[in-house]
Amino acid sequence: LSLFEQIKLGQLCDVAVRLDGRHSIPATSSNFSIRRDDSAFFVSRSGKHKRELNPSDFLLVDLQGRAKAPVAPKPSDETLLHAVIYRNCPWIECVIHCHAPELEFLRAPGFTIEGHELLKALGARDHLTPHELCVYDNTQDMAELAAAVESRQLTRENSHGAVTFVLARHGIYCGGESIGKTEAYLEALLHLLKLQQALSAALPADSSTGDSV
């Protein structure tokens, strides 16, 4: 690792500690990654609580999710979901996957978040620009899920802003142009989902909020 890479990975480890503080990375769940260049990225290894990560706990993999070093441990199957973002979204430099409790009520196919000032924190032009949060059933087939994300979301023209999707009863993937922006996007989105849960809880039992937040 170069000194620059060690610093960036250290910053990503700090994000993991903050997410642990909000109970979003329980046990050995979740994974984090950062782009190295146009052909590879670093992703956190499996089997370790992510609050204890250090720069040596990251594997270098190619954009197909395969380890670059011949004797490296096999990356987590979920690496494929990071890889599909990096392959299709050249502006994305960091991807965070976590298991925040705010996600538990989400079901496929997802919904549109609209009308909130905080949408601008997701890279929207203004609070009237909606954000579509796609939700996929967790089939445990990561290759199939990566293909579904690619065909549904990542073939659209785009060049900036958050890339987000959720695996139902599993967790969220959030990508951004830097480590700081990715963390901010994730924080904004989780706050918006918490608002939706509060709204849903306040409505009468026979009321419906539709498919928008």
Side-chain angles (χ1 to χ4, degrees), residues 46-58:
S46 300
K48 182 174 184 177
H49 200 299
K50 303 309 181 291
R51 69 167 170 253
E52 300 172 354
L53 285 177
N54 63 70
S56 66
D57 291 319
F58 287 80

Side-chain angles (χ1 to χ4, degrees), residues 9-22:
L9 290 171
Q11 292 172 350
L12 196 49
C13 294
D14 291 340
V15 173
V17 172
R18 289 191 287 273
L19 286 173
D20 181 55
R22 62 179 297 154

Side-chain angles (χ1 to χ4, degrees), residues 111-172:
F111 54 83
T112 300
I113 305 171
E114 55 189 6
H116 289 275
E117 181 71 16
L118 199 55
L119 283 167
K120 291 190 289 187
L122 295 175
R125 293 186 303 272
D126 52 50
H127 72 286
L128 298 177
T129 302
H131 182 83
E132 182 182 355
L133 182 61
C134 296
V135 180
Y136 301 86
D137 288 325
N138 183 17
T139 64
Q140 298 291 316
D141 185 330
M142 295 303 157
E144 177 185 272
L145 286 167
V149 171
E150 186 169 34
S151 63
R152 180 179 174 187
Q153 291 186 247
L154 303 182
T155 55
R156 305 171 186 171
E157 292 186 5
N158 200 351
S159 60
H160 68 282
V163 173
T164 62
F165 59 88
V166 170
L167 302 187
R169 294 185 175 177
H170 180 79
I172 190 168

